[in-house]
Amino acid sequence: QVQLVESGGGSVQTGGSLRLSCAASGYIYRVNCMGWFRQGPGKEREAVAVIYPGLRSTVYADSVKGRFTISQDNDKTVSLQMNGLQPEDTAFYYCAAGSLWYGDGSWHSEKAFAYWGQGTQVTVSS
């Protein structure tokens, strides 16, 4: 099993910044991709950004390109730097990890990720 623990959520005003971190433990050799999903009020869970550490590759949802940056801090920690936050970014953010094919678009699907954290709330007020 792989355990994921998120930290860094909170409340900010429009235009503010937050940094989320996800610490992985357990059989992390089982995963080649880690990322972040979010679920806003009344919305479905959506992919935000993922990183393939072994390939040094990152992918972003169009809605966050240029504002969010996903990075690998060390072998077991992935972070999401969120700048220019908008009220529509308000959501519960989840860290996810899995073994994915690269380049087939599967990162969009939560079904592709076997391991999930408990999530952390991000609230952006106008």
Side-chain angles (χ1 to χ4, degrees), residues 35-38 46-50 59-65 68 80 82 93 107:
W36 293 90
F37 281 70
R38 68 185 181 186
E46 62 175 355
V48 175
V50 301
V59 192
Y60 296 90
D62 288 343
S63 58
V64 306
K65 281 181 181 177
F68 291 12
L80 184 69
M82 305 184 293
Y93 284 70
W107 71 276

Side-chain angles (χ1 to χ4, degrees), residues 33-37 47-53 55-66 68-71 79-80 100-108 113:
C33 180
M34 292 183 67
W36 293 90
F37 281 70
V48 175
V50 301
I51 184 167
Y52 296 83
L55 300 174
R56 298 184 181 180
S57 177
T58 58
V59 192
Y60 296 90
D62 288 343
S63 58
V64 306
K65 281 181 181 177
F68 291 12
T69 303
I70 189 169
S71 61
S79 293
L80 184 69
L100 278 68
W101 289 102
Y102 177 75
D104 67 348
S106 58
W107 71 276
H108 284 283
F113 293 83

Side-chain angles (χ1 to χ4, degrees), residues 75-121:
D75 288 347
K76 298 182 179 181
T77 304
V78 170
S79 293
L80 184 69
Q81 178 67 41
M82 305 184 293
N83 298 328
L85 284 163
Q86 302 297 315
E88 52 265 35
D89 295 315
T90 294
F92 216 70
Y93 284 70
Y94 297 90
C95 181
S99 180
L100 278 68
W101 289 102
Y102 177 75
D104 67 348
S106 58
W107 71 276
H108 284 283
S109 173
E110 58 182 302
K111 295 180 180 179
F113 293 83
Y115 308 104
W116 292 84
Q118 294 298 308
T120 185
Q121 177 69 41

Side-chain angles (χ1 to χ4, degrees), residues 13-15 41 43 84-91 122-126:
Q13 293 186 331
T14 298
K43 299 180 180 179
L85 284 163
Q86 302 297 315
E88 52 265 35
D89 295 315
T90 294
V122 171
T123 302
V124 185
S125 58
S126 57

